[in-house]
Amino acid sequence: MHIMEGFLPPMWCLIWYIVMIPIVGYGLYQIRKMVDENPDITALLAVSGAFMFVLSSLKLPSVTGSCSHPCGNGLGVALFGPAVTGVLATIVLLFQALLLAHGGITTLGANCVSMGIVGPFVGWLGYKACQKAGLGSKVSIFICAFLADIVTYVVTSIQLALAFPIPNLGAAIAKFFVIFAPTQLPLAIAEALLTLIIWNTLLSYKSDILLKLNLINPQDVPSGDA
Amino acid sequence: MKHENLILLILTLIIVIAPMVIYSGLGEDQGYFGGADDAGSDAVSETGYKPWFESFWEPPSGEIESLLFAVQAAIGAIIIGYAVGYWKGQKKVE
């Protein structure tokens, strides 16, 4: 989903920065407030960022015969919401833009909006909806991670199509969607499985904080066999 | 819980290994296993668009690039391993 350096016209670079900056700013404010109220969550925050570091570095083969990478944005958004995930994604994307020439500074706004904000936001809605439907936190996190991953790539397709609506917007969305989505589908499932593994680990050791943050219900806590 | 995570890990491995079995013997030269991100950039280039900005710095070779990707994964893995190990110890003391 990385739009490479210089591959968006300056106007679109600016527009996506304008979308990104207030949300990431709000995320920073939220982080400060949450850590003040509850210093325990610092470690959870670090693990969410670290999870994104690991997953977005893994370029995996897909059954379409192309390679792509997961985003790792499902865990952070389930725990802290989309604004904080935007902050975490900004760190990861800066690292990749500056050291790996993967993504870019001019396209950081666009990439952050897809991987850090809109993708995670849809995943977060999925998490809340599944929890409300009483599906349990494991199903919820699986759906959340799957949606956050796949929607990230949908947003990238739309961003590229908006900047290059050739021959028209609809056809361009379809063209970019076909490049990204089929390859991403199995990888989004792999990402959801990996996110569920780390979620199980959190349920075993940190269910007290998850309960306190009101993210899980008491019946989600595993009984004893950590 | 332990068994559940093991099963999840095996499922993940199947998803990742299957493509390499399906397209066994095929590689980059035949047009397989290229990156979707690059395919996206290529589709933009096909419209006749020329990038207006270049990266400040690029890894000088594939080796250096893989080094930096490994560093990225290692940083994340160290943090996760440290935290989970700490929590496990904490739980044991309780």
Side-chain angles (χ1 to χ4, degrees):
Chain A
M1 48 53 72
H2 292 79
I3 301 177
M4 295 301 165
E5 188 77 279
F7 269 85
L8 281 182
M11 184 188 80
W12 284 105
C13 296
L14 188 69
I15 289 174
W16 294 118
Y17 262 108
I18 292 171
V19 176
M20 162 202 170
I21 287 170
I23 298 171
V24 169
Y26 180 64
L28 284 170
Y29 163 79
Q30 274 190 314
I31 289 176
R32 225 182 55 190
K33 206 173 122 206
M34 280 194 294
V35 172
D36 277 348
E37 285 169 6
N38 202 344
D40 274 0
I41 66 152
T42 317
L44 276 184
L45 201 58
V47 166
S48 303
F51 188 70
M52 204 185 271
F53 252 71
V54 176
L55 262 73
S56 66
S57 76
L58 303 174
K59 298 192 182 168
L60 305 174
S62 167
V63 286
T64 56
S66 300
C67 290
S68 187
H69 62 87
C71 305
N73 47 10
L75 179 69
V77 81
L79 292 171
F80 303 111
V84 172
T85 312
V87 177
L88 300 176
T90 304
I91 299 168
V92 176
L93 290 168
L94 268 177
F95 182 97
Q96 293 178 330
L98 294 175
L99 294 180
L100 293 158
H102 205 71
I105 295 301
T106 58
T107 51
L108 179 73
N111 290 333
C112 182
V113 167
S114 62
M115 182 173 121
I117 297 168
V118 180
F121 176 69
V122 174
W124 183 71
L125 289 180
Y127 186 87
K128 297 288 173 204
C130 289
Q131 278 292 77
K132 213 164 208 161
L135 292 174
S137 79
K138 290 182 185 192
V139 175
S140 308
I141 192 72
F142 187 90
I143 299 289
C144 170
F146 176 83
L147 285 175
D149 179 312
I150 203 81
V151 173
T152 297
Y153 282 79
V154 173
V155 174
T156 302
S157 307
I158 294 172
Q159 286 172 330
L160 285 170
L162 282 169
F164 304 98
I166 301 166
N168 57 59
L169 183 62
I173 292 178
K175 176 178 76 179
F176 288 110
F177 192 69
V178 166
I179 292 174
F180 291 116
T183 296
Q184 201 58 29
L185 207 61
L187 301 185
I189 296 170
E191 159 149 23
L193 291 166
L194 288 170
T195 310
L196 181 51
I197 291 177
I198 188 115
W199 187 259
N200 276 335
T201 309
L202 290 181
L203 281 178
S204 299
Y205 302 127
K206 286 278 117 185
S207 49
D208 50 338
I209 294 188
L210 298 182
L211 279 171
K212 203 156 131 194
L213 293 173
N214 216 3
L215 292 169
I216 56 172
N217 302 313
Q219 64 265 28
D220 289 324
V221 179
S223 47
D225 67 332
Chain B
M1 182 72 66
K2 283 255 165 64
H3 289 298
E4 193 183 320
N5 276 355
L6 190 64
I7 293 166
L8 293 170
L9 199 60
I10 291 169
L11 286 174
T12 311
L13 286 176
I14 292 172
I15 293 176
V16 176
I17 292 169
M20 291 189 261
V21 176
I22 297 171
Y23 303 109
S24 145
L26 298 169
E28 246 175 336
D29 297 341
Q30 290 86 28
Y32 283 86
F33 300 116
D37 282 354
D38 293 336
S41 304
D42 292 345
V44 170
S45 298
E46 273 166 24
T47 66
Y49 177 80
K50 296 269 176 292
W52 61 282
F53 199 85
E54 299 268 312
S55 296
F56 292 112
W57 184 81
E58 276 187 45
S61 75
E63 266 67 20
I64 312 276
E65 188 181 4
S66 67
L67 163 72
L68 289 164
F69 266 110
V71 167
Q72 188 193 329
I75 292 171
I78 288 168
I79 295 172
I80 295 172
Y82 179 88
V84 172
Y86 184 86
W87 292 333
K88 186 167 182 164
Q90 216 175 22
K91 192 108 182 174
K92 233 176 202 159
V93 172
E94 282 169 16

